[in-house]
Amino acid sequence: MTTPEERLAALGLKLPQPTKLPEGLHIPFAFVNIRGERALFSGHPKNGADGRISGPFGVVGTDLTTEEAYAEAREVALSVLANLKSEIGELSRIIGWVRVFGMVTSASGYSEQHLVVNGFSDLIIAVFGQEVGCHARSAIGVSGLPLGFAMEIEGEVLIRV
């Protein structure tokens, strides 16, 4: 059996550093909130390799195509995994993905949010397999997100305690 970290490496992917907030930005919540066997992750943007928040920024359907936004959603998944790993130690402690909620800043009339958030879901299933990675999911369009993000993705996983 391979670990999620080994599957990431086999896919040629590396986790960024956990999220580092920009100087002066105060958030009164945790990116990952552990409650017993549940780990809830707050809305995440993408991290650069150094952990600095790096978007994506803009409006999907205007500034980004569906395909570009799909690729960005995969990067958001890596940021979520980096923060989860930082909190729980090893990604193999995740025994089930419960739910994912994707918010996509969308141009008027844009209706492919579900395809964008598939970038996140597809990567999670590739890394964790269908049995552990399968999750309930919603994807919605919004007129704006904090700091001009093109998307934010939040959710919940079950962890081995």
Side-chain angles (χ1 to χ4, degrees):
M1 176 178 229
T2 59
T3 67
E5 288 87 352
E6 290 168 335
R7 286 188 212 108
L8 282 165
L11 292 168
L13 300 171
K14 292 180 77 175
L15 295 180
Q17 292 296 310
T19 303
K20 294 182 177 115
L21 293 178
E23 193 170 317
L25 179 62
H26 167 72
I27 58 170
F29 59 87
F31 276 112
V32 176
N33 186 6
I34 299 183
R35 293 289 183 253
E37 67 178 12
R38 298 168 56 205
L40 296 96
F41 57 92
S42 298
H44 273 62
K46 175 179 81 170
N47 293 353
D50 63 359
R52 293 179 198 210
I53 294 172
S54 62
F57 301 101
V59 177
V60 180
T62 302
D63 303 318
L64 292 101
T65 67
T66 299
E67 295 76 19
E68 290 168 331
Y70 174 96
E72 294 287 355
R74 287 176 55 90
E75 297 291 324
V76 172
L78 294 175
S79 298
V80 167
L81 294 176
N83 284 338
L84 284 168
K85 182 176 174 67
S86 176
E87 290 295 321
I88 66 173
E90 296 299 322
L91 294 175
S92 57
R93 284 190 60 203
I94 296 173
I95 58 173
W97 282 77
V98 178
R99 68 170 193 87
V100 169
F101 180 62
M103 296 157 278
V104 180
T105 304
S106 302
S108 179
Y110 183 80
S111 62
E112 295 186 334
Q113 294 85 359
H114 60 293
L115 299 176
V116 170
V117 183
N118 280 352
F120 186 100
S121 294
D122 289 345
L123 182 66
I124 294 305
I125 291 169
V127 170
F128 289 88
Q130 187 68 30
E131 185 176 324
V132 173
C134 186
H135 51 270
R137 195 193 81 192
S138 295
I140 65 166
V142 298
S143 62
L145 288 167
L147 305 176
F149 294 135
M151 71 188 68
E152 252 188 35
I153 301 175
E154 68 175 47
E156 180 180 348
V157 297
L158 295 176
I159 56 174
R160 185 178 303 108
V161 289

